[in-house]
Amino acid sequence: MTSDTPGTPGTSAPFRAPHTFVIIFFVVVLAAALTHLVPAGRFDTTTVAYVDGQGVEKTRQVLDPDSYEAVGTRGVGLFGTDGEPGLFNYPFDGLVSGDRYSAAVGVVAFLLVVGGAFGVVLRTRAIETGILASLHRTAGAEAAVIPTMFVLFSLGGAVFGMGEEAIAFAMVIVPVLIALGYDSIVGVLVTFGATQIGFGASWMNPFSVGIAQGIAGVPVMSGAPLRVGAWVLFTALGLAYTMTYARRIQKAPETSLAWESDAFFRDDLQEARSHEVRFGLGHALVLLVIAAAIVWVIWGVTARGYYIPEIASQFFVMGVAAGVVGVLFRLDAMTLNDVATSFLQGARDLLGAALVVGMAKGIVLVLGGDQASQPSVLNTLLHGAGQALSGVPAAVCAWLMLVLQSVINFFVVSGSGQAALTMPIMAPLADIVGVTRQVAILAFQLADGFTNLIVPTSGALIGTLGVARLDWAVWARFQVKFQALLFLVASILVVVAVLVGYQ
């Protein structure tokens, strides 16, 4: 007879998904093994000019698909020397790779600065107090909150490639939705999830569609009608999925995979209720500071092309301003020292997410990097995939492009980087197999955007999960069904595009 007491012999322990760090470690081990089995390869690169959506001529380095050269097997050892990758070097090498505009060091710095800034905002307790003050006024209007936000975030992804910006929005929106009876998974879907659906189905995203069309020699922003239809389709699909899940969770909150981790937000709101703090001028000013910072960021991204460094600085200013208001109005007895310690606490809360970004980048480095001109296993795999696709029917080839781009996005999360790496191969390959270049671009953008919703190498995803206090493995357990649905519909769309000769 088995015992029902937890931990006693005969009792099967509940399955616990591996921690994200564990998953990444074993992927790194697999990557290191591949370097002993697959030769590294490289391409020559050339500069191509293209005209963006604003009519401005730009240039970008792309590979020459006919210049592939295998340079031999370069097996990675346990430790790297003289700048060479090593199995156990991946956390450090990953964290210090890139620059202020890219993964990993730029994204890591962004997460820590933004986390610190919002740590100051949360210390003022203006968000919780504002939520409690507004709950009774918005009773009955909750049904409009999710659809409105979802469509707006999807538009942000479609129009100006919104991604990392969702991290900051999630810090505000997740506790609001939990207060309304939902969970943090709904918050991630409404913010980052919606942006990537818009990103993948965009008709004008300058960081994916614009660059891919320019590299492929297709008129930039052409083929918009089908893409606009795709954006409407996928946004409606994502919203329907989110609303169905949200209603189920609102009826039975304990069934949420995030029930345990959401206790942090529930306890915070309960503490705010117990303090019986009245919403005052100081709280209103902090919320005004947050709103002004969001408007400033949107303006900077759309009008001035601001990216990671500038956005981080904008949110830092928001944190400083919120801290000043908190001290002047003595919100929750806040002092100058509290501003400093709350900044530290906010950064500490996102430290795990920052480490995941660096470790995930280490996977790519172990394979040899993602530069076409530098020998890497990734280049060899890309070349081999291009050769394999050249002998299959058009519709099948287009679908396999979608699959291939989905896999590549695990290693090259940057939309512009993936376009530069893959489109010089996929565009001429499309001509050979009878697929239009617009279809090849469509397969790229759908795969690039949608797989950002699940790959642990996406700094924006990991950052959003970090502020929502969700482990990636928990999110992946929820997301895998929605991911399959998105892939299924994307597959149908790509095949239909081939059949109608999408130009």
Side-chain angles (χ1 to χ4, degrees):
M1 183 174 180
T2 59
S3 171
D4 292 329
T5 305
T8 59
T11 302
S12 59
F15 171 76
R16 291 184 63 88
H19 191 280
T20 310
F21 288 0
V22 176
I23 295 171
I24 290 177
F25 176 78
F26 282 107
V27 174
V28 171
V29 172
L30 176 61
L34 280 177
T35 65
H36 291 270
L37 302 173
V38 180
R42 59 174 299 277
F43 295 91
D44 292 334
T45 58
T46 184
T47 302
V48 298
Y50 65 95
V51 179
D52 67 11
Q54 285 70 46
V56 178
E57 182 173 304
K58 295 185 177 180
T59 61
R60 190 165 187 92
Q61 287 289 116
V62 300
L63 59 84
D64 176 359
D66 297 323
S67 65
Y68 173 78
E69 174 190 7
V71 296
T73 303
R74 305 176 67 181
V76 168
L78 296 179
F79 301 97
T81 57
D82 299 326
E84 291 295 319
L87 175 59
F88 291 108
N89 298 104
Y90 81 92
F92 181 86
D93 288 349
L95 283 167
V96 300
S97 66
D99 56 33
R100 65 199 305 263
Y101 293 101
S102 63
V105 66
V107 175
V108 167
F110 176 83
L111 290 175
L112 296 180
V113 172
V114 172
F118 271 92
V120 177
V121 169
L122 294 176
R123 177 62 178 79
T124 67
R125 306 197 74 85
I127 294 178
E128 301 98 309
T129 307
I131 291 172
L132 295 176
S134 62
L135 279 180
H136 70 281
R137 299 176 186 174
T138 58
E142 298 95 335
V145 172
I146 293 177
T148 301
M149 290 193 298
F150 196 99
V151 172
L152 289 176
F153 278 104
S154 182
L155 272 174
V159 174
F160 59 88
M162 188 177 187
E164 286 82 359
E165 298 87 347
I167 298 171
F169 285 96
M171 289 183 172
V172 178
I173 291 173
V174 166
V176 170
L177 292 176
I178 290 175
L180 292 175
Y182 304 111
D183 65 0
S184 55
I185 290 176
V186 175
V188 175
L189 284 171
V190 166
T191 53
F192 183 72
T195 67
Q196 296 313 292
I197 286 176
F199 192 102
S202 173
W203 64 95
M204 62 176 295
N205 180 354
F207 302 109
S208 63
V209 179
I211 290 178
Q213 288 181 325
I215 292 173
V218 173
V220 175
M221 306 309 170
S222 61
L226 185 142
R227 288 188 172 91
V228 171
W231 176 80
V232 173
L233 170 65
F234 283 106
T235 299
L237 179 66
L239 178 56
Y241 195 93
T242 301
M243 289 300 298
T244 301
Y245 172 77
R247 291 191 187 103
R248 178 166 64 83
I249 291 301
Q250 198 173 36
K251 291 178 181 177
E254 297 84 357
T255 62
S256 168
L257 294 173
W259 175 252
E260 292 184 10
S261 56
D262 284 353
F264 170 83
F265 299 101
R266 293 194 300 271
D267 293 345
D268 209 36
L269 286 168
Q270 188 60 40
E271 184 180 349
R273 286 190 178 97
S274 65
H275 283 181
E276 296 184 357
V277 178
R278 296 186 61 184
F279 186 77
L281 177 60
H283 300 108
L285 288 176
V286 172
L287 295 181
L288 185 62
V289 166
I290 297 172
I294 290 172
V295 172
W296 187 21
V297 168
I298 293 173
W299 171 84
V301 171
T302 56
R304 301 294 298 273
Y306 286 177
Y307 195 46
I308 290 175
E310 295 84 5
I311 296 171
S313 299
Q314 288 174 305
F315 280 115
F316 180 73
V317 171
M318 178 199 70
V320 171
V324 170
V325 173
V327 171
L328 290 178
F329 285 83
R330 298 286 293 168
L331 300 180
D332 202 29
M334 196 169 180
T335 66
L336 281 175
N337 281 347
D338 289 330
V339 175
T341 56
S342 59
F343 185 92
L344 180 62
Q345 181 60 50
R348 184 183 296 124
D349 288 342
L350 285 186
L351 180 60
L355 288 171
V356 169
V357 171
M359 290 180 178
K361 182 66 175 180
I363 299 170
V364 181
L365 297 180
V366 167
L367 289 172
D370 56 7
Q371 298 299 310
S373 60
Q374 299 298 318
S376 75
V377 171
L378 192 59
N379 286 335
T380 299
L381 296 178
L382 178 62
H383 172 72
Q387 295 294 310
L389 291 180
S390 61
V392 298
V396 177
C397 181
W399 180 77
L400 289 174
M401 285 181 177
L402 177 71
V403 174
L404 178 62
Q405 296 282 15
S406 299
V407 173
I408 291 174
N409 196 49
F410 181 93
F411 304 101
V412 187
V413 183
S414 165
S416 58
Q418 187 174 345
L421 187 65
T422 62
M423 290 316 300
I425 290 178
M426 295 303 158
L429 178 62
D431 298 336
I432 295 172
V433 299
V435 173
T436 68
R437 294 192 173 198
Q438 284 286 22
V439 172
I441 295 166
L442 181 66
F444 151 72
Q445 69 176 100
L446 291 173
D448 173 45
F450 295 165
T451 50
N452 284 338
L453 290 169
I454 199 167
V455 293
T457 48
S458 168
L461 170 62
I462 296 302
T464 307
L465 295 179
V467 304
R469 296 182 176 268
L470 273 174
D471 186 73
W472 177 83
V474 175
W475 166 255
R477 184 178 166 191
F478 162 81
Q479 175 62 18
V480 65
K481 292 181 181 179
F482 186 35
Q483 201 70 41
L485 178 61
L486 288 172
F487 180 76
L488 174 63
V489 179
S491 298
I492 294 172
L493 180 61
V494 167
V495 172
V496 169
V498 174
L499 297 178
V500 301
Y502 177 43
Q503 295 286 345

